[in-house]
Amino acid sequence: MTRSKWHLLLSMFAIFAVLAFAAACGDDDDDDDDDTTASPTTGAAASPTTVAKPSGTITIRSIQFESWDPHFSDFNQDIEHFFMVWRGLYHLDKDSKPQAAMADGAPTVSADGKTYTVKLKKDLKWSDGQPLDANDFVLGIQRTCNPDNAGHYQYILTEIVGCDAYYGAGKKTAEEKAALLKAVGVRAVDATTIEFKLTDPVPTFSIKLALWPTFPVPKHKLATVDAKWPAPMDNVYNGPFKPSAYTEKSGITLVPNEQYTGAVKAQVEKIVIKYIDDAAVALTAYRAGEIDATLVPSTQLAAVKADPTLSKELISYPATRTTGIEPNLKDPTLAKLEVRLALSQATDRKTLNEKVLNSANIVSTTWMPPARSGTNPTAYDAAIGFDPVKAKANLKKAGYDNGAGFPKITVLQTDSAGNKAIGEFLQSEWKKHLNIDITLEYTDSKTRSARFNSGDFQIVLGGWGEDYPDPENWILGLYETGGSINKQSCSLKAIDDVIAKAKFNQKDEERRQQYRDAEKLIVENVCGMAPMWQVGFHAVVKPYIKGMIENKKPDDKQVPGDTSVELWTTTKK
């Protein structure tokens, strides 16, 4: 018995209540404007539309991506680019419900929920005119599961049969890897049919098929699963745009992809993306008319609100993102719980947000936003919130009474005026309340991202933006021992045990409570994260641009609607 109607599939989703809120995305970079993660869905659903010849150019600010490889990457600045030039089987609409993109309708789901079959649209093509078929999507899943590619988001595919075993085969022989690759539960039944085999029924699986780690691979460009991913100008694309020029650390230019099969085609002739790490510099460029849209740095939010012109161009709303202090638990000093607690308890979040960040965010000690967990933002104030007395006592327990003998600690951030203001505030706070000296290190966005992913840091300021609307997205892969995106090296058996219970739990409220239990353990043990605030999204957009709107809260990264670029239009010539 199979189910092939959307309403049946969505009924199953309703049981698990996973479609309550829209997607955002991935790891946050540590710019004070939260250049994250973190969002990975494509544009809002639209009916087939006849679009006039594309016209005009839109220029925006972004930051240099770490990787061009969607099967490897985990940073928002990367993912923003991916959704402009590639698309998956599905996308999420404004209500976070999956809608067909490259797929020709809903998946067929077996009665036991363990087999998904997806039919592709006919005559799909890459931007170079070569056919795109089921084997390209199979290769995409295999690349994300591949141990040598080491995709950061492999954890979202853990329910696919054999994916975990293959991903963990880094030290095995080539023959052993080949055997494990064959056992991964995805195959092309024919050129337009893909079959997925799952270990357990997972209510979020169709949502995950809208995310970038499941994007197709051009098999005519990469003959094998471990082949190197082509650079921007050497690659091919199946999204609304494709690159026409690219210079690292300078920018990328996108033009319409004539082979794109989406309901809405590209409506502008060109999108120019300028790489500017410092959002304050970008705002100056916006004022001068050099760019048409950019994030507003928190440190300048009050000035923008007071400006008679900019205030009318300001777009603000809460995002499902969290920013905090991220300690690397492999560091011998930060491995001490008392040190981590002391740093968190010596941080006056309220003053930082009000005085430095112009009240741009919502102060919080919770990891999951209230919209996802239902937890009060102050729930963990007593455990990790601002309390200088507790902070001093914990530092003393750690063996550094009044800061005596405290080792050198460096906080790594992207180089921007806003981040410098945050860093200097923390430096002052920790000196005042703990009598310790910390070093502030600033670098470009690509280097910061690469160092975080490689574990080459002591503390970063960053966080997470939601990828899909379920509490598991805030826990799985991030905080269990060995998780593919657990860069802070959190490892606590109690957390692992709770996650193991929740992972495939079919009782929805019990499952959600288990993830709340995991959150409590993470926060109270500062196991890789001391949350500081829930992010507010603030951007300015020129009035001659239309369609650059919040299509699915909170999927925006650098400007509103930046994963729905086919909806953008401009009247500026």
Side-chain angles (χ1 to χ4, degrees):
M1 176 181 176
T2 60
R3 299 179 228 177
S4 59
K5 301 294 185 181
W6 271 123
H7 74 273
L8 290 176
L9 180 62
L10 291 175
S11 293
M12 181 177 77
F13 283 174
I15 293 172
F16 296 98
V18 297
L19 297 178
F21 206 49
C25 169
D27 273 318
D28 279 354
D29 200 342
D30 68 332
D31 192 347
D32 69 297
D33 317 299
D34 285 281
D35 296 339
T36 62
T37 126
S39 316
T41 56
T42 65
S47 301
T49 303
T50 300
V51 177
K53 183 180 179 181
S55 63
T57 296
I58 292 177
T59 303
I60 66 170
R61 172 257 184 174
S62 188
I63 55 179
Q64 173 68 50
F65 52 83
E66 180 203 3
S67 169
W68 192 246
D69 185 348
H71 308 103
F72 170 82
S73 187
D74 62 337
F75 271 98
N76 256 344
Q77 64 265 30
D78 303 16
I79 299 158
E80 172 194 44
H81 288 77
F82 298 161
F83 277 93
M84 295 180 177
V85 297
W86 288 298
R87 292 295 160 89
L89 292 168
Y90 299 98
H91 67 85
L92 303 182
D93 66 16
K94 62 184 179 61
D95 298 316
S96 301
K97 296 179 180 179
Q99 304 291 342
M102 296 295 106
D104 189 23
T108 299
V109 185
S110 63
D112 64 1
K114 295 183 180 181
T115 302
Y116 281 63
T117 304
V118 178
K119 295 290 291 186
L120 293 179
K121 293 177 180 176
K122 295 180 180 179
D123 301 321
L124 294 175
K125 292 181 180 180
W126 292 100
S127 56
D128 62 356
Q130 291 295 310
L132 188 165
D133 62 31
N135 290 290
D136 295 303
F137 280 95
V138 170
L139 192 54
I141 297 293
Q142 291 173 334
R143 282 194 88 244
T144 298
C145 298
N146 182 282
D148 299 314
N149 190 52
H152 295 299
Y153 262 69
Q154 180 273 337
Y155 79 94
I156 73 164
L157 304 180
T158 185
E159 61 263 30
I160 293 180
V161 168
C163 183
D164 283 355
Y166 183 40
Y167 189 76
K171 295 182 179 180
K172 293 187 179 295
T173 66
E175 292 76 14
E176 289 172 322
K177 289 179 183 177
L180 289 167
L181 171 59
K182 289 182 180 179
V184 174
V186 59
R187 71 184 182 101
V189 177
D190 54 45
T192 60
T193 309
I194 311 161
E195 180 186 84
F196 300 90
K197 290 287 188 181
L198 310 185
T199 60
D200 298 88
V202 176
T204 54
F205 187 67
S206 287
I207 292 177
K208 294 175 182 179
L209 293 179
L211 305 186
W212 67 101
T214 69
F215 281 1
V217 169
K219 59 184 177 301
H220 64 290
K221 289 278 187 178
L222 288 84
T224 63
V225 71
D226 53 1
K228 185 178 180 181
W229 192 249
M233 298 307 297
D234 300 323
N235 220 315
V236 291
Y237 305 93
N238 73 323
F241 285 85
K242 62 184 180 180
S244 64
Y246 168 67
T247 303
E248 185 163 333
K249 295 186 179 181
S250 177
I252 192 168
T253 299
L254 306 177
V255 296
N257 173 13
E258 298 83 357
Q259 303 293 348
Y260 180 58
T261 60
V264 179
K265 313 299 183 186
Q267 299 180 71
V268 295
E269 288 182 272
K270 193 181 295 182
I271 296 175
V272 177
I273 304 175
K274 294 185 177 181
Y275 297 146
I276 307 172
D277 276 354
D278 193 335
V281 173
L283 185 60
T284 298
Y286 179 88
R287 290 175 182 270
E290 297 169 7
I291 57 178
D292 301 315
T294 184
L295 288 174
V296 174
S298 304
T299 51
Q300 296 195 34
L301 183 58
V304 169
K305 288 180 176 180
D307 187 288
T309 299
L310 295 184
S311 61
K312 296 177 182 178
E313 299 169 359
L314 177 66
I315 298 173
S316 296
Y317 46 83
T320 311
R321 303 181 191 168
T322 300
T323 291
I325 300 162
E326 297 186 282
N328 188 340
L329 273 65
K330 286 188 175 180
D331 181 87
T333 304
L334 297 169
K336 299 179 180 180
L337 172 59
E338 292 80 10
V339 169
R340 304 195 301 273
L341 286 170
L343 294 174
S344 180
Q345 292 162 345
T347 301
D348 186 347
R349 294 158 172 80
K350 184 174 183 292
T351 298
L352 172 58
N353 187 53
E354 291 179 353
K355 303 299 184 184
V356 179
L357 303 179
N358 288 295
S359 299
N361 308 298
I362 301 169
V363 173
S364 174
T365 50
T366 63
W367 169 235
M368 291 190 282
R372 188 57 54 234
S373 67
T375 306
N376 190 298
T378 63
Y380 302 111
D381 283 9
I384 68 165
F386 182 53
D387 190 328
V389 174
K390 286 184 179 179
K392 291 176 183 177
N394 272 313
L395 195 65
K396 182 177 180 179
K397 288 180 185 177
Y400 308 111
D401 188 15
N402 196 35
F406 192 77
K408 178 182 177 180
I409 290 290
T410 299
V411 176
L412 176 67
Q413 295 171 277
T414 299
D415 191 359
S416 73
N419 278 341
K420 287 178 178 177
I422 295 171
E424 289 165 6
F425 179 88
L426 294 177
Q427 191 177 51
S428 174
E429 284 286 283
W430 294 348
K431 179 64 175 179
K432 175 182 177 182
H433 301 303
L434 300 174
N435 195 33
I436 64 173
D437 296 302
I438 64 165
T439 301
L440 303 176
E441 181 180 1
Y442 301 97
T443 186
D444 62 272
S445 58
K446 182 175 182 178
T447 300
R448 184 269 183 192
S449 299
R451 286 183 58 182
F452 178 75
N453 275 332
S454 67
D456 182 17
F457 69 96
Q458 289 180 293
I459 292 176
V460 296
L461 301 181
W464 187 254
E466 185 173 80
D467 297 311
Y468 56 94
D470 193 275
E472 73 175 22
N473 185 234
W474 290 85
I475 307 294
L476 290 186
L478 285 83
Y479 293 111
E480 70 263 44
T481 301
S484 65
I485 208 163
N486 184 355
K487 308 307 177 183
Q488 307 97 310
S489 299
C490 171
S491 181
L492 192 65
K493 185 178 183 301
I495 295 174
D496 294 341
D497 290 344
V498 174
I499 292 174
K501 293 176 183 177
K503 206 168 188 178
F504 300 116
N505 191 346
Q506 303 301 303
K507 298 177 181 178
D508 188 56
E509 182 48 44
E510 183 177 280
R511 178 183 70 97
R512 291 174 180 272
Q513 183 57 53
Q514 286 165 341
Y515 283 122
R516 287 191 285 268
D517 293 343
E519 176 190 36
K520 185 174 189 293
L521 290 166
I522 291 161
V523 173
E524 292 186 349
N525 288 279
V526 195
C527 203
M529 170 55 64
M532 293 194 293
W533 58 74
Q534 310 297 329
V535 174
F537 183 88
H538 309 280
V540 282
V541 178
K542 295 294 186 182
Y544 47 76
I545 293 176
K546 304 300 179 185
M548 194 176 284
I549 59 175
E550 175 197 5
N551 295 302
K552 283 178 306 306
K553 188 164 47 185
D555 71 344
D556 308 312
K557 289 172 272 304
Q558 304 301 324
V559 295
D562 53 14
T563 52
S564 305
V565 290
E566 66 271 33
L567 303 181
W568 293 359
T569 64
T570 179
T571 56
K572 182 182 178 182
K573 302 300 182 182

